[in-house]
Amino acid sequence: MSALTALSLRKNGKQWHTPRGAFRPTSNLTSYASRISAQKSAAATKCKEREMKADKEEERQRRIQGIKDRRAAKEEKERYEKMAERMHRKRVERVRRREKRNKLLKS
């Protein structure tokens, strides 16, 4: 584009549009080798991304499993404590009943 064309007014009245050059379909074509190398690099990048995502997910799952294990252990501990308390209470009641029987027999 010459300076004269850039300064002149457009015929269709769309002066706000930037002037466009001629359509040349072969100007932006890349060679087969460069396309293949770009595809290879993109594939390598995707592979690395997948690997990183898999590592991240594995770490996440490991953390989640650790939390689940801790919760299960805590639940089990509480259950055993409750059971021990219950067993103790039952034993106390049994001893009380035995003492009551003995008292009735003696009188």
Side-chain angles (χ1 to χ4, degrees), residues 51-65:
E51 187 179 308
M52 289 169 71
K53 281 184 183 177
D55 288 345
K56 193 174 181 180
E57 182 64 22
E58 186 178 309
E59 176 66 26
R60 183 176 159 273
Q61 289 299 330
R62 195 179 58 75
R63 268 200 324 269
I64 289 172
Q65 191 59 43

Coordinates of all heavy atoms in Angstrom, one line a residue, residues 51-65:
E51 N 0.6 -36.4 32.1 CA 1.4 -37.0 33.1 C 1.3 -36.1 34.4 O 1.1 -36.6 35.5 CB 2.8 -37.0 32.7 CG 3.8 -37.8 33.6 CD 5.2 -37.8 33.0 OE1 5.4 -38.2 31.9 OE2 6.1 -37.4 33.8
M52 N 1.4 -34.8 34.3 CA 1.3 -33.9 35.4 C -0.1 -34.0 36.1 O -0.2 -34.0 37.3 CB 1.6 -32.5 35.0 CG 3.1 -32.2 34.6 SD 3.4 -30.7 33.9 CE 3.2 -29.5 35.2
K53 N -1.1 -34.0 35.2 CA -2.5 -34.2 35.8 C -2.7 -35.5 36.5 O -3.3 -35.5 37.6 CB -3.5 -34.0 34.7 CG -3.8 -32.6 34.2 CD -4.9 -32.6 33.2 CE -5.1 -31.2 32.7 NZ -6.1 -31.1 31.6
A54 N -2.1 -36.5 36.0 CA -2.2 -37.9 36.6 C -1.5 -37.8 38.0 O -2.0 -38.4 39.0 CB -1.6 -38.9 35.7
D55 N -0.3 -37.2 38.0 CA 0.4 -37.1 39.3 C -0.4 -36.3 40.3 O -0.5 -36.7 41.5 CB 1.8 -36.4 39.0 CG 2.8 -37.3 38.3 OD1 2.5 -38.5 38.2 OD2 3.8 -36.8 37.8
K56 N -1.0 -35.2 39.8 CA -1.8 -34.3 40.7 C -3.0 -35.1 41.2 O -3.3 -35.0 42.4 CB -2.2 -33.1 39.9 CG -2.8 -32.0 40.8 CD -3.1 -30.8 39.9 CE -3.6 -29.6 40.8 NZ -3.9 -28.4 40.0
E57 N -3.6 -35.8 40.4 CA -4.8 -36.6 40.8 C -4.4 -37.7 41.8 O -5.1 -38.0 42.7 CB -5.5 -37.2 39.5 CG -6.7 -38.0 39.9 CD -7.9 -37.2 40.5 OE1 -7.9 -36.0 40.3 OE2 -8.7 -37.8 41.1
E58 N -3.3 -38.3 41.5 CA -2.8 -39.4 42.4 C -2.5 -38.8 43.8 O -2.8 -39.4 44.8 CB -1.5 -40.0 41.8 CG -0.9 -41.2 42.5 CD 0.3 -41.7 41.8 OE1 0.3 -42.0 40.6 OE2 1.3 -41.9 42.5
E59 N -1.9 -37.7 43.8 CA -1.6 -37.0 45.1 C -2.9 -36.7 45.8 O -3.0 -36.9 47.0 CB -0.8 -35.7 44.8 CG -0.5 -34.9 46.1 CD 0.4 -35.6 47.0 OE1 1.2 -36.4 46.6 OE2 0.4 -35.3 48.2
R60 N -3.9 -36.2 45.1 CA -5.2 -35.8 45.6 C -5.8 -37.1 46.2 O -6.4 -37.0 47.3 CB -6.0 -35.2 44.5 CG -7.4 -34.8 45.0 CD -8.1 -34.1 43.8 NE -9.5 -34.1 44.0 CZ -10.4 -35.0 43.7 NH1 -9.9 -36.1 43.1 NH2 -11.7 -35.0 44.0
Q61 N -5.8 -38.2 45.4 CA -6.4 -39.4 45.9 C -5.7 -39.9 47.1 O -6.3 -40.5 48.1 CB -6.4 -40.5 44.8 CG -7.3 -40.2 43.6 CD -8.8 -40.1 44.1 OE1 -9.2 -40.8 45.0 NE2 -9.6 -39.3 43.4
R62 N -4.4 -39.8 47.2 CA -3.6 -40.2 48.3 C -4.0 -39.4 49.6 O -4.2 -40.0 50.7 CB -2.1 -40.0 48.1 CG -1.2 -40.8 49.0 CD 0.2 -40.6 48.7 NE 0.7 -39.2 48.7 CZ 0.9 -38.5 49.8 NH1 0.7 -39.0 51.0 NH2 1.2 -37.2 49.7
R63 N -4.2 -38.1 49.4 CA -4.6 -37.3 50.5 C -6.0 -37.7 51.0 O -6.3 -37.8 52.2 CB -4.6 -35.8 50.1 CG -3.3 -35.1 50.4 CD -3.5 -33.6 50.4 NE -4.5 -33.0 49.5 CZ -4.2 -32.6 48.3 NH1 -3.0 -32.7 47.8 NH2 -5.1 -32.1 47.5
I64 N -6.9 -37.9 50.0 CA -8.3 -38.2 50.4 C -8.3 -39.6 51.1 O -9.0 -39.8 52.1 CB -9.2 -38.3 49.1 CG1 -9.4 -36.9 48.6 CG2 -10.5 -39.0 49.3 CD1 -10.1 -36.9 47.2
Q65 N -7.5 -40.5 50.6 CA -7.4 -41.9 51.3 C -6.9 -41.7 52.7 O -7.4 -42.4 53.6 CB -6.6 -42.8 50.4 CG -6.7 -44.2 50.9 CD -8.1 -44.8 50.8 OE1 -8.8 -44.6 49.8 NE2 -8.5 -45.5 51.8

